[in-house]
Amino acid sequence: MQLRPETRGGALWVIVEEPRIDAAVAIQFKDRMREIAAGGPDRVVLDLSQVGFLDSSGLGAVVAVLKLMGEGRRLELAGLTPTVEKVFRLTRMDSVFTIHESPEAALGEAGA
Amino acid sequence: MTARPLCPLAGAGQGGPGAAPALVLDFAARPFEVRRSLATVARHLTEAGLGPETRGRVEIVLAEALNNIVEHAYRGQPAGRVTLALRREGGLARVRLCDHGAPMPDGAPPARAPARGTLPEGGFGWTLIRALSARAAYRRMTGGNCLDLEIALG
């Protein structure tokens, strides 16, 4: 599970360098995110622009990451590819996250 | 160990005589095997000239149905196998998934996504299958399950 954490504009960015977040890797994703986000900035942006496919297990893992970050911290999503965007929309989880069209758009709001 | 396919692949509801499935896959009910099979289906659809939007739709439906087989029908049975048969008919992909696992609870797919607080981490599978397929028909057979899915192409 390739996740690349970076700090940008006071936020923690996590670039998912994987083509898929599916049932085969959902638990790994959640565990790695838990390690990466622990004790970091309140604002976390997940860059999904390299992820072409996410199934309901992957979706559940992203929701789980949001929940384990706890009160007062934000998990935002950026760069959803069409199939990934569809999964968030059809399950109405698009209303739970702040979703940026692109990583650049999310960066524009750094520190907001 | 090889298990015979549970459902006759050219059987009822799968087209007339001579309408052999374009793609038949038999694989272990494990997450990485599911992933590999989905890649084969995607390649097949690409070769048939279908675009990424359609491929994505088919892939989500099949991923959810197959994940359910791995996680529920074959819970605690790592040696379980799945048969996938796909054919294109008119503007539809018709897919039959067969397994030898446990039946669905209550003998049918869950009616609605279970309400589990404001932020559920699961229960999305059938929401996605219903939203993206034209038809989903489940049958319990002797010793196994059969799920027929129809997904619009294009």
Side-chain angles (χ1 to χ4, degrees):
Chain A
M1 172 56 58
Q2 289 295 317
L3 301 177
R4 184 155 54 90
E6 288 180 5
T7 306
R8 291 185 197 171
L12 174 66
W13 286 62
V14 182
I15 300 146
V16 183
E17 297 181 325
E18 293 281 335
R20 305 170 75 87
I21 306 177
D22 61 12
V25 296
I27 291 171
Q28 268 185 59
F29 170 80
K30 184 174 148 182
D31 290 348
R32 282 282 291 132
M33 280 299 295
R34 187 205 312 268
E35 292 166 19
I36 289 170
D42 286 346
R43 183 177 183 232
V44 178
V45 180
L46 197 58
D47 180 344
L48 293 170
S49 48
Q50 294 175 48
V51 180
F53 186 80
L54 170 136
D55 65 11
S56 66
S57 301
L59 177 66
V62 175
V63 173
V65 170
L66 171 68
K67 287 159 88 168
L68 62 85
M69 282 176 43
E71 290 288 316
R73 299 185 72 195
R74 284 189 291 164
L75 179 63
E76 302 176 12
L77 311 177
L80 274 60
T81 59
T83 300
V84 174
E85 185 275 332
K86 187 175 288 179
V87 169
F88 274 89
R89 180 164 42 81
L90 293 173
T91 56
R92 304 211 171 105
M93 287 297 113
D94 57 346
S95 63
V96 169
F97 295 90
T98 300
I99 297 180
H100 303 279
E101 210 164 291
S102 63
E104 293 71 29
L107 193 57
E109 289 182 29
Chain B
M1 189 184 75
T2 54
R4 271 187 312 121
L6 190 69
C7 305
L9 293 176
Q14 286 279 299
L23 182 68
V24 179
L25 303 172
D26 173 74
F27 52 95
R30 287 195 285 266
F32 279 101
E33 293 292 315
V34 168
R35 189 188 262 201
R36 199 199 327 250
S37 301
L38 291 173
T40 305
V41 170
R43 212 156 45 235
H44 174 81
L45 297 175
T46 304
E47 283 163 9
L50 296 161
E53 200 277 332
T54 301
R55 286 200 305 270
R57 190 179 330 133
V58 172
E59 197 172 349
I60 294 168
V61 172
L62 296 185
E64 298 306 333
L66 291 168
N67 289 346
N68 283 341
I69 292 172
V70 174
E71 291 164 23
H72 301 298
Y74 281 129
R75 179 182 291 275
Q77 298 178 64
R81 295 195 74 83
V82 188
T83 308
L84 179 159
L86 179 149
R87 73 156 53 83
R88 283 172 287 117
E89 238 175 80
L92 291 173
R94 302 180 69 165
V95 183
R96 175 168 287 183
L97 301 178
C98 297
D99 67 75
H100 295 267
M104 288 193 193
D106 307 320
R112 286 279 171 271
R116 301 200 309 190
T118 47
L119 266 183
E121 290 174 35
F124 302 119
W126 272 94
T127 300
L128 291 167
I129 293 171
R130 288 202 178 89
L132 296 172
S133 65
R135 178 173 166 266
Y138 168 73
R139 274 178 302 151
R140 179 66 185 177
M141 321 279 282
T142 308
N145 301 300
C146 200
L147 182 65
D148 284 324
L149 297 161
E150 293 180 3
I151 306 143
L153 298 175

